[in-house]
Amino acid sequence: MINAVFIAGPTASGKTEYAIQLARALNGEIVSADSMQIYKYMDIGSAKPTKEERALAVHWLVDEIDPRTPFTAAEYKKLAEKYIDDIAARGKLPIICGGTGLYFNALIYDMDFSAPEGDDAYRQGVWESCGKDPAVLHERLKALDPHAAEVIHPNNVKRTLRAIERLEHGEDKLAEFSGVTKLNPKYNSILIGLDRDRDELYDRINRRVVKLYDAGLPKEIRTLMDMGFKSSDVAMKGIGYKEIIDAVSEGGCPEDAAETIKQNTRRYAKRQLTWFRRYPHINWVRLSGDDFDENAFSNMLDIIENGRIKE
């Protein structure tokens, strides 16, 4: 069984900084569990680790997939497990870091992703019956499985349609959102959750959005639009990308989307926390302030040391 450390938490909680320092202290390498950072070209809006940060610790599954390529949780599981196994085989500690709950479930739990791809015609019928309105579609999902609706963003039409199809074809509850308890036997999963006071977290989110704009997010998105990407593309559903593309497409400017991005990011952080708090074996570490917290870091090291299976 491989010791694997998972660093979970909402956006802007400080996951990257602490994961890097853990990797440096424990001879580890980082495997991203972020559904946006995995894509090429989308550097600023996804808040990827910088070149300087990646020089401090090896990162996998960052900047690897073309946004035009469909990418599923099953494919994530396959790639991530390949990297984790390789890291461990080289005598290093795999550290899985990110905020995408479904990616965490794919590795922590013994999940079966062998279900068929689904019926395109059925999903199209559902979409049309909802008047092609994402809000109406999301309400339909909520009526079927409130937990699934809680963590699937209303703008993620493709994922919402797939969830509705599965539920309306007989699944009682979606496994990735409810009742998965059988752990993946490949890994000894040591799960650490980073938490902050809500007001502090929301302030960090608001400040991060300003920094993303200052770093050139509008220019990055204009480049993507010139490449042919639209807000309806799956990769462009990420918060920040969709709002700016919509604002520009409607004749406005990127700055018009700033407050909406802040609001949607705060809501997303709340959904992330809801997801991660359902893990019964998570070890929460409280952070405060912008400076690196040596006491919290020491706590993380103790959690990992105590949770490791000694070889």
Side-chain angles (χ1 to χ4, degrees):
M1 183 179 283
I2 295 172
N3 288 309
V5 174
F6 291 78
I7 307 297
T11 186
S13 58
K15 298 183 295 296
T16 297
E17 180 180 17
Y18 286 91
I20 288 172
Q21 294 307 318
L22 287 171
R24 288 168 63 82
L26 299 172
N27 189 29
E29 294 183 5
I30 298 169
V31 178
S32 174
D34 187 292
S35 62
M36 301 308 297
Q37 292 181 2
I38 197 168
Y39 289 120
K40 298 177 180 178
Y41 317 128
M42 302 168 64
D43 300 333
I44 299 171
S46 67
K48 284 179 187 172
T50 64
K51 290 181 179 179
E52 292 76 16
E53 288 172 326
R54 280 184 260 181
L56 295 173
V58 176
H59 285 72
W60 301 99
L61 285 177
V62 172
D63 210 28
E64 292 194 21
I65 305 297
D66 190 291
R68 289 165 288 234
T69 303
F71 191 77
T72 65
E75 290 166 315
Y76 172 80
K77 177 182 176 71
K78 183 177 179 180
L79 279 177
E81 288 192 338
K82 181 186 77 170
Y83 288 132
I84 291 169
D85 294 352
D86 177 67
I87 292 167
R90 290 186 280 108
K92 295 178 179 289
L93 178 67
I95 300 173
I96 299 88
C97 174
T100 300
L102 184 54
Y103 284 3
F104 273 75
N105 275 24
L107 297 174
I108 293 171
Y109 293 112
D110 190 17
M111 296 181 66
D112 180 12
F113 286 100
S114 61
E117 286 298 313
D119 185 337
D120 289 338
Y122 185 87
R123 292 197 293 269
Q124 183 62 28
V126 171
W127 179 229
E128 292 177 357
S129 71
C130 292
K132 297 185 177 181
D133 185 332
V136 175
L137 186 73
H138 201 258
E139 284 299 316
R140 181 162 169 172
L141 173 61
K142 186 176 180 180
L144 293 165
D145 188 343
H147 286 305
E150 206 170 62
V151 292
I152 297 178
H153 194 279
N155 288 337
N156 195 335
V157 171
K158 182 177 179 180
R159 193 171 171 204
T160 305
L161 282 169
R162 183 69 183 109
I164 290 172
E165 179 191 16
R166 289 169 56 190
L167 290 161
E168 293 185 346
H169 278 73
E171 290 191 44
D172 181 32
K173 298 289 181 184
L174 297 186
E176 59 261 43
F177 305 114
S178 62
V180 181
T181 57
K182 186 178 179 182
L183 295 174
N184 187 341
K186 292 184 63 175
Y187 306 127
N188 171 44
S189 300
I190 304 167
L191 185 55
I192 297 173
L194 305 188
D195 197 13
R196 291 180 180 270
D197 173 79
R198 186 184 66 176
D199 290 340
E200 178 182 321
L201 178 64
Y202 285 1
D203 177 64
R204 286 172 63 90
I205 287 171
N206 293 341
R207 286 187 284 129
R208 170 182 273 191
V209 172
V210 174
K211 289 178 182 178
L212 295 180
Y213 269 83
D214 290 343
L217 179 59
K219 182 179 178 181
E220 177 176 272
I221 292 176
R222 287 189 183 278
T223 299
L224 290 165
M225 293 174 70
D226 290 341
M227 294 171 65
F229 288 103
K230 305 179 293 295
S231 61
S232 58
D233 293 324
V234 173
M236 296 297 107
K237 296 294 184 185
I239 297 172
Y241 292 95
K242 185 180 188 306
E243 291 86 353
I244 289 181
I245 292 176
D246 283 346
V248 172
S249 298
E250 293 169 5
C253 65
E255 287 69 26
D256 296 336
E259 291 305 316
T260 303
I261 293 172
K262 292 176 183 178
Q263 182 182 65
N264 288 344
T265 306
R266 294 192 299 266
R267 289 173 175 170
Y268 177 56
K270 183 178 179 180
R271 292 196 300 273
Q272 288 175 301
L273 284 167
T274 297
W275 182 297
F276 292 129
R277 282 174 177 150
R278 288 203 294 266
Y279 290 132
H281 56 300
I282 192 167
N283 300 278
W284 286 103
V285 174
R286 188 77 164 184
L287 299 174
S288 180
D290 292 337
D291 294 334
F292 188 79
D293 189 328
E294 293 289 353
N295 290 330
F297 184 68
S298 178
N299 189 12
M300 294 178 206
L301 291 173
D302 289 342
I303 290 168
I304 294 168
E305 178 62 25
N306 293 332
R308 267 179 159 171
I309 295 176
K310 305 300 187 291
E311 297 179 356

